[in-house]
Amino acid sequence: MKRWQLPKGEIGLTTANVIRLDQLAAAAAKLFEHVREVHGDTVEVDADYFWSIPPDALYNVYEEPEKLTIGQLSESEQHIRQLLEGQRPPLAYYLVWLSDLLRAVGYTVAGWPLPNLAHVQGGVLAQDAPPLDQAEQRSIYFWSVVPLAS
């Protein structure tokens, strides 16, 4: 089922889909500071397993994903811990495991489902649009992955 009719080539953080690491690091620092102020130094997540979508399907918003796998937050956390303890070298793929944990923290701290999320139209939030249902909230621009309840 094709829910979104998105124009090709107009989706991304910049016109060239370039992500600046300095801005990403600055945003992460700001967000971590905010979460610590509001929630403290730890976040208890009520899930361990989650649906995982292979990258070739995750970023293909023109077709519904056909193949889902299962990921595990505790496994992602173990990989990150091994990196921090010097047991593993820093490899780019560790960003994927880190993103699993960041998503879980974001959903937990923000509260899921998100209330009154506005529609995205042409890459711009439409503030006067009616709230999306839970299924629509899960798929803005790409097929998002929501942790399974334990």
Side-chain angles (χ1 to χ4, degrees):
M1 172 176 87
K2 292 184 181 179
R3 176 181 298 266
W4 302 99
Q5 297 299 319
L6 300 174
K8 289 190 178 190
E10 294 184 24
I11 302 168
L13 298 176
T14 68
T15 56
N17 291 333
V18 174
I19 299 172
R20 291 186 45 188
L21 296 182
D22 59 338
Q23 289 182 348
L24 198 58
K30 221 174 236 204
L31 292 168
F32 284 132
E33 180 181 330
H34 169 72
V35 170
R36 281 190 189 106
E37 288 174 5
V38 173
H39 203 75
D41 286 333
T42 61
V43 175
E44 186 173 331
V45 177
D46 292 333
D48 190 18
Y49 294 94
F50 58 92
W51 290 113
S52 181
I53 303 171
D56 59 336
L58 181 64
Y59 297 103
N60 179 4
V61 297
Y62 302 99
E63 296 178 29
E64 189 166 348
E66 295 178 10
K67 180 182 175 187
L68 299 176
T69 60
I70 294 177
Q72 190 173 7
L73 293 174
S74 57
E75 182 180 17
S76 296
E77 190 273 334
Q78 179 182 12
H79 290 298
I80 296 301
R81 192 171 354 102
Q82 289 172 340
L83 170 70
L84 293 174
E85 293 172 355
Q87 297 173 12
R88 303 275 189 220
L91 302 173
Y93 195 82
Y94 280 77
L95 291 169
V96 175
W97 290 316
L98 181 63
S99 70
D100 294 339
L101 301 173
L102 291 173
R103 181 181 295 112
V105 168
Y107 284 141
T108 300
V109 172
W112 185 260
L114 298 173
N116 300 321
L117 186 62
H119 284 283
V120 175
Q121 296 175 346
V124 179
L125 285 176
Q127 299 299 331
D128 58 346
L132 301 175
D133 65 30
Q134 286 185 12
E136 290 172 316
Q137 289 180 21
R138 292 185 183 114
S139 57
I140 295 177
Y141 284 147
F142 59 90
W143 296 97
S144 185
V145 181
V146 179
L148 297 176
S150 56

